[in-house]
Amino acid sequence: MQKISKIAVLTSGGDAPGMNPCIRAVVRTAIYNGLKVVGVRQGYKGLIENDMYEMDKRSVSNILNLGGTILKTARCLPFKEDEGMVTAYQHLKEHGIDALVVIGGDGTFTGALRFSKKYPDIAVIGVPGTIDNDLCGSTYTLGFDTATNTVIEAIDKIRDTADAHDRLFFIEVMGRDSGAIALRAGISCGAEAILLPEKQTAIDDLIRNLKDGSSNKKSSSIVIVAEGDKNGGVYDVAKAVQKEVKDYDIKVTILGHLQRGGSPSSFDRILGSRLGYAAVNALIAGETQKMVGLQANHILLTSLEEALNHHEFKLEADLLEMVDILSI
Ligand code: ATP
């Protein structure tokens, strides 16, 4: 078993609330165990540009409540090339780093796995940090709960104005490949319909559903459209519906980047702390090429390969089933 002495931690891809509590847990758990810790700025970009600094207990003071990530994050194309990986490896070696904690989503894990196969002397543990909730091996990813709550708060406000004016609102939420936020926010806010990338919704069915609602004396309607819905985007869907549903004045709102921001929820602070703590302990135990994740309220390890297996990831069947029933 390879004994580690110095860990680097980075956040990569889209930022997610809860990354900071996780960084804090990584740093303090490592120091508690006598390990050195280096923070890498801007994810893989920082590895390639040698932008890293030694962290101590106080480097992570007062960050539990902060959204975003104190280490900054980036999307870094050069890391996909062999040349970028070689440079990253050389910089890690120069700093005497023998283990890496990567906090990010599926792209981050794909990069981490490729890197670790190429350079197995650097142990790698992944932490699922993405608002998309689209990784196998963790019921929840870091940031998903906060983002969903942010969406719910925004939709509740839109519902107030929709109700006052008898309006039909189409609201686009994040999720290019995953309808997880749309589904939960839709159920939480009583949306009349939810359009998801995982499930094709025929526009004719949607129109029928909305006409039924209007004849049932609904004074407002909310339709949530995940970014990745296959009907051509929220404006196209709204336009197609407006032609057929005359009773309502239709408005479109795109929630956009506000969904990523904000102070992490209690759930994400605890999850970030648990995952960061577990990531360092996994490295100390000699693990590599694994992801730490939440399963049945336990923190367990999954291979990065399995974590990336999207085909296995499914939205909860009962949630999908109840959407139409609860919104009649
Ligand atoms: P989110 O789910 O929030 O979008 P993510 O981790 O999936 O987060 P990406 O932008 O897809 O975000 O990936 C983050 C970074 O991981 C990329 O900018 C790139 O540096 C690295 N990466 C992605 N795919 C690969 C790959 N095939 N090989 C090497 N590195 C990769």
Side-chain angles (χ1 to χ4, degrees), residues 50-191:
N50 204 8
D51 189 5
M52 36 189 125
Y53 63 105
E54 298 254 351
M55 300 181 86
D56 61 27
K57 283 183 273 190
R58 298 280 78 78
S59 315
V60 288
S61 296
N62 302 324
I63 65 166
L64 279 169
N65 56 323
L66 302 180
T69 157
I70 60 159
L71 292 175
K72 310 279 185 192
T73 182
R75 309 218 187 243
C76 171
L77 290 179
F79 193 71
K80 292 187 176 181
E81 309 300 329
D82 282 349
E83 208 184 324
M85 287 212 179
V86 174
T87 311
Y89 177 73
Q90 283 164 350
H91 288 147
L92 286 169
K93 283 299 193 187
E94 273 169 29
H95 287 271
I97 292 161
D98 39 30
L100 197 52
V101 175
V102 297
I103 308 168
D106 54 355
T108 301
F109 287 1
T110 305
L113 187 57
R114 274 189 58 204
F115 182 78
S116 176
K117 283 183 172 166
K118 212 166 147 67
Y119 303 110
D121 53 323
I122 309 272
V124 176
I125 294 290
V127 174
T130 166
I131 64 168
D132 291 342
N133 208 35
D134 59 352
L135 291 162
C136 293
S138 196
T139 313
Y140 296 106
T141 57
L142 211 45
F144 170 65
D145 181 67
T146 307
T148 306
N149 280 313
T150 302
V151 169
I152 290 170
E153 203 185 320
I155 295 177
D156 283 348
K157 288 180 178 157
I158 291 170
R159 173 75 82 179
D160 289 344
T161 175
D163 216 30
H165 291 275
D166 284 358
R167 275 181 178 152
L168 167 55
F169 265 88
F170 283 79
I171 303 170
E172 186 193 270
V173 304
M174 279 186 173
R176 275 192 303 268
D177 303 306
S178 159
I181 291 180
L183 182 59
R184 277 195 157 61
I187 288 174
S188 303
C189 298

